[in-house]
Amino acid sequence: MSSTNDAPIDPPLVDLPIRTANRGFYDGFSRAVTIPSKIIVSLIIMWAIFFPVSANETLTAANSTIIRAFAGWYVYLVAFLMFACFMVAVIPQSGRLRIGPPDEKPEFGRFSWFAMLFGAGIGIGMLTYSTGEPLAHFANNPDIIRGTIEPLSQEAVRPAYIYTFLHWGFAAWGTYALVGLAIGYVAYRRGLPLTIRSALAPLFGRVLSGFSGHLVDIVAVVATILGVAVTMGLGVEQFIAGLARLGLGDWLLAEDGRSSVIAIILALMLLVGASTLSALSGVGKGIKWLSNLNMGLSFALLALFAIVGSGLYGLGLLGTALWDYFVTLVPNSLRLFPDVQGETAQALLQWQLDWSVFYWAWWIAFAPFVGMFIARISRGRTVREYVFGVVLVPSLMCFVWMAIVGGTAINLELSGVAGGTIVETGISDQLYATLAVLLDPAVASLVSGLVVILLMTYLITSADSAILIVNTINGAGETDGERRHHILFWGGALAFVVGSMLILGGIDAIRITMIIGALPFSFVVALMAVAILKAIAFDLVRKRHGVPTTAEGCADLARGE
């Protein structure tokens, strides 16, 4: 190791101290992160509960301004994240680097790893949008807006899947993978705390031990709560719609067809209560067990649609849609509809703001939670295995789901069997409506019950994972210890955010809040992408010159070994 004295590059930073309390209520936690995070989330809840009209008006105005002003930022940022992920994976030297010491072995087997990736990432959204998204684009997409094809026609199917796959494919998982890699790489190779600020250490160094690092983690906590709230809100709406389909009472739905206030409260008490109990058991127990159960039930439901639904039609769609997706991925990922005068131009812009830009903001807001969780369960894997596993496998699973389940719904509408009963119902009810058309009433009720159970386990998995990740950020990256009182606080806070926003303005209120909350974290994500590219590039230079690249190697160097 003596040659490092003459090397043109120094060893990496392997120590980033974060001050935590050593006694009292916040023992083991960073007060500078935890207390402000709790205050901000509590203020959002109180604002929505006690000043609902003001909150609704302010959120709507802020959303209109922010999403238009930053549409281009979101579009080009997500495209850059996808590119950065695949670049570090396909380059042989960087792809062979390991997330951890060179001889590290993965903690979880591949099935459990994939199951946890899928459940934490987009399990709930997949159930809601497997029919909802293809049907929405089947009725309205840019080609229909331009007048080149008719809505709800055979010609509308291919573009419907181009945009469905665009939103649920590499864009989502590339964002998650980049954030997780940026965190896990420095945490497990360099021994830095498993927290968001550590991912920026390759750029800013020890300064992140102070105020700037606290600010980064606070932004990540708030973005996590708001991002998970969107997913929870979608899931709760579909959960209640399923219970109504099962005939558990008219009280579940209000007169306008939305979930009733009492149904929202009871559903959140059940779901968040169960997720809090699961979070208390940790990643290796409750979350792992539930994730494996989710995977098994998901495959059972998918097999049902493949056998009794339009399986062959869906597989044909899958092949065509995959080809269309790869051919159009680059131009569609970089396309930004201009904000110019004209009815068609404004309609195209509004479509992109309502769909693509909303999704990019959602994935970014969801990224601190999913990225941290992915980093937590991916130690010991190579960069190449990590990127391809995190991006390709879950994306392909989503594509299969959307093609077979959504394809069944579209085929029922095209053939006239459904008679508009699927496409005309609300998005939370469309999966159940498809089952009602496809199956006999008794069997449809039985399978709808399976969907409700699956949805419940996905909701619990997402919520308990988010609670644990928030605690990890607040605990300066410490993953050990139950810290029951903080788990209970964040479980309650998540329930209040979802409940207050659903009651305030439905899922739209949660979507708007999330888009606003995602904006500050989007700048953190951009810096994380630059930081991980720098970290990997500099480590390759260090290896060439015999300079240690891991915490263990730096410790050996310090001892003179």
Side-chain angles (χ1 to χ4, degrees), residues 19 29-37 197 210-211 214-215 218:
R19 185 177 179 181
F29 277 68
S30 168
R31 287 194 181 97
V33 175
T34 308
I35 295 175
S37 299
R197 75 175 77 188
F211 173 78
H214 301 331
L215 185 61
I218 291 168

Side-chain angles (χ1 to χ4, degrees), residues 108 116 278 280-292 482:
F108 299 101
M116 286 189 283
S278 178
L280 290 169
S281 70
V283 175
K285 297 178 183 177
I287 295 175
K288 178 182 176 181
W289 184 85
L290 280 173
S291 296
N292 289 336
E482 293 179 344

Side-chain angles (χ1 to χ4, degrees), residues 84-106:
C85 264
F86 283 114
M87 186 172 68
V88 298
V90 300
I91 296 174
Q93 295 89 338
S94 59
R96 286 193 293 266
L97 293 173
R98 195 169 292 275
I99 304 173
D103 57 349
E104 184 86 30
K105 299 297 181 184

Side-chain angles (χ1 to χ4, degrees), residues 368-406:
F369 151 53
V370 181
M372 282 276 291
F373 185 74
I374 292 173
R376 169 68 181 83
I377 63 175
S378 300
R379 180 169 183 163
R381 302 192 183 275
T382 65
V383 170
R384 180 174 296 112
E385 180 188 17
Y386 168 88
V387 170
F388 287 157
V390 173
V391 177
L392 297 183
V393 176
S395 292
L396 184 58
M397 272 298 298
C398 282
F399 295 160
V400 171
W401 257 91
M402 299 287 186
I404 292 180
V405 180

Side-chain angles (χ1 to χ4, degrees), residues 100-118:
D103 57 349
E104 184 86 30
K105 299 297 181 184
E107 179 181 359
F108 299 101
R110 283 184 177 168
F111 181 85
S112 292
W113 185 51
F114 289 142
M116 286 189 283
L117 286 176
F118 196 68

